[in-house]
Amino acid sequence: MPVLSLISVEATKYTRPNWTEISLTALQHNFRTITDFVAPNATVCAVVKCDGYGHGAVECARALEQESATWFGVTSTDEGIRLRDAGITGRILVMTGFWRGEEEAIVHYDLTPAIWERAHVEALENAAAKLGKAPCDLPVHLKIDTGMARLGLPIAELDDFADVLRSAEHVVLEGVFSHFASSEVLDSPGVDRQLAKFESSVAALATHGLTPVYQHMSNSAAVIARPNTWKNMVRPGLALFGHCLPFTSVVSGTPDASLELPLQPVLSWKTRVIAMRDVAAGQAVGYNGAHVTHSPTRLAVIPVGYGDGFTRQLSCSGRVIVRGSYAGIAGNVSMDLTTIDVTAIPGVSIGDEVTLMGSSGDCSISVWEHASYAMTVPYEILCGLSPRVPRKYVE
């Protein structure tokens, strides 16, 4: 293939008019808001796992480090390495531990792993010795299973595991943590049970002479609604990006909007009109003719579909914003294209900007709206944004 062709492909890599705008200013505002809210009681570990919940982990971590963030939470060793390679110098907590064979990378890149098995300690000890680590120079955070039955040390095994930690030469217990299953349910008895188990575990460790510097349980919802769970570190994720699960009650089952922080959504999603057409009444639109026009209709086509993360559940019922007005989705969302009804919006033309998520004029479409159509949570919507949708960082 000629070199000229390669250059041409690269030059046009991101010309498809479908992009997100990530406000690093809003992200920094959210970090300050949360930090001020928990100060001086707790340190904030900024969770940027899953590529920063779809926002871009590297760019977000850099902006947060500029705002004095000192801890970052990631899912896996490779996510931690990516931050280190990008120049992030803060502490990086690998919250779901490490896979066998990754222990030398953990040590080399100065990552702080979650542990909960004897094999974790043994692997880290071997890696630390091989790479010349000094004694007591490999901090770890012990994850306790307080009720999710997912990851973590079973409480019944805590005494035996404490002996393993005490006998380690390089590994030192810096932190102990757990994770709530339903902290957004304000009267959930499970939260209190988990908290009690965690506190009893910390007390049990102390009887073995193990007093970790950090204790942490609080995710975004617990940060906002449960100060008694903060301990001395909190782990906001979704809240950093301007969202939180609605607070509900087991008894009433209705949302409680009184518990809110002044957070700003960090991401908006936009595209442009690429085609227009006028059709008569009775015209079937899109795959399977899922929408049929009832009167003469003006349609616009936008280059976005479920291949981009624009969920197919929005078909025939979701909406977008064009020229400061809402336009309904006409027909099924396809892989790359979606058709919208702009009959009631004067002057729409090819090239007009279309807001899929975010605000324009007096109109707004939230990630919650997308999640409600898909019968899911905003986490899935944000993390489901395709890599082919460019992230553009704005101030």
Side-chain angles (χ1 to χ4, degrees):
M1 180 180 294
V3 174
L4 181 60
S5 296
L6 291 175
I7 293 173
S8 299
V9 169
E10 184 62 29
T12 60
K13 185 175 180 180
Y14 293 123
T15 58
R16 180 170 177 252
N18 179 351
W19 73 96
T20 63
E21 294 178 358
I22 312 294
S23 171
L24 298 178
T25 302
L27 177 68
Q28 291 171 326
H29 162 83
N30 294 340
F31 178 78
R32 288 194 304 271
T33 298
I34 295 168
T35 298
D36 292 345
F37 187 61
V38 301
N41 301 294
T43 296
V44 174
C45 177
V47 178
V48 292
K49 64 182 181 177
C50 197
D51 198 27
Y53 291 62
H55 294 68
V58 167
E59 293 81 3
C60 290
R62 285 173 176 160
L64 291 167
E65 201 161 58
Q66 290 172 6
E67 200 59 39
S68 301
T70 56
W71 277 89
F72 299 94
V74 299
T75 291
S76 55
T77 301
D78 64 299
E79 288 186 347
I81 291 172
R82 186 179 176 213
L83 293 187
R84 283 284 183 253
D85 285 344
I88 300 302
T89 61
R91 300 291 301 280
I92 298 175
L93 177 64
V94 183
M95 298 184 297
T96 62
F98 59 96
W99 185 243
R100 53 180 172 265
E102 295 180 336
E103 56 270 13
E104 290 187 21
I106 290 284
V107 176
H108 175 75
Y109 286 94
D110 193 26
L111 307 178
T112 302
I115 64 164
W116 59 88
E117 295 177 353
R118 177 187 293 267
H120 291 153
V121 178
E122 293 173 346
L124 291 171
E125 283 289 305
N126 292 334
K130 181 177 179 179
L131 297 177
K133 270 280 187 180
C136 300
D137 195 30
L138 183 51
V140 299
H141 286 217
L142 171 62
K143 184 162 191 177
I144 303 290
D145 179 9
T146 57
M148 282 193 73
R150 196 173 61 172
L151 295 179
L153 179 74
I155 292 175
E157 300 175 14
L158 192 144
D159 290 334
D160 290 339
F161 197 75
D163 292 337
V164 173
L165 290 170
R166 290 177 60 194
S167 63
E169 179 183 357
H170 300 280
V171 170
V172 60
L173 184 63
E174 180 190 42
V176 59
F177 73 110
S178 191
H179 189 63
F180 286 118
S182 54
S183 57
E184 73 280 1
V185 183
L186 297 176
D187 51 1
S188 169
V191 172
D192 292 334
R193 286 195 297 267
Q194 283 192 263
L195 181 60
K197 288 180 180 179
F198 181 75
E199 292 175 341
S200 67
S201 298
V202 172
L205 288 169
T207 65
H208 291 275
L210 297 171
T211 55
V213 175
Y214 295 106
Q215 301 175 26
H216 46 108
M217 288 192 81
S218 297
N219 55 4
S220 290
V223 167
I224 296 171
R226 300 179 181 277
N228 64 314
T229 70
W230 289 350
K231 306 306 177 184
N232 63 357
M233 179 178 274
V234 296
R235 305 188 310 268
L238 191 65
L240 274 179
F241 300 102
H243 312 283
C244 194
L245 293 176
F247 295 101
T248 60
S249 164
V250 172
V251 175
S252 69
T254 57
D256 183 344
S258 65
L259 294 168
E260 292 183 355
L261 290 180
L263 304 174
Q264 300 174 3
V266 173
L267 179 145
S268 58
W269 189 4
K270 299 179 180 180
T271 185
R272 293 190 184 278
V273 173
I274 62 168
M276 303 281 301
R277 69 190 55 218
D278 294 296
V279 299
Q283 174 64 54
V285 180
Y287 283 119
N288 304 123
H291 174 78
V292 178
T293 59
H294 297 292
S295 58
T297 302
R298 189 159 178 75
L299 299 174
V301 179
I302 53 177
V304 62
Y306 58 77
D308 303 294
F310 196 65
T311 177
R312 199 168 185 270
Q313 280 75 17
L314 291 165
S315 299
C316 299
S317 53
R319 58 185 181 172
V320 300
I321 306 170
V322 187
R323 291 183 171 248
S325 298
Y326 292 116
I329 293 173
N332 284 326
V333 172
S334 59
M335 183 183 294
D336 309 299
L337 300 168
T338 297
T339 303
I340 57 176
D341 184 342
V342 295
T343 308
I345 306 174
V348 177
S349 60
I350 292 174
D352 279 356
E353 186 173 276
V354 178
T355 299
L356 309 171
M357 188 186 300
S359 299
S360 178
D362 295 328
C363 298
S364 181
I365 297 174
S366 70
V367 65
W368 284 103
E369 182 168 323
H370 284 239
S372 66
Y373 280 110
M375 294 182 289
T376 186
V377 290
Y379 298 87
E380 184 175 359
I381 299 299
L382 293 171
C383 294
L385 282 169
S386 169
R388 77 174 182 172
V389 179
R391 274 62 165 172
K392 297 183 179 181
Y393 297 91
V394 300
E395 299 301 330

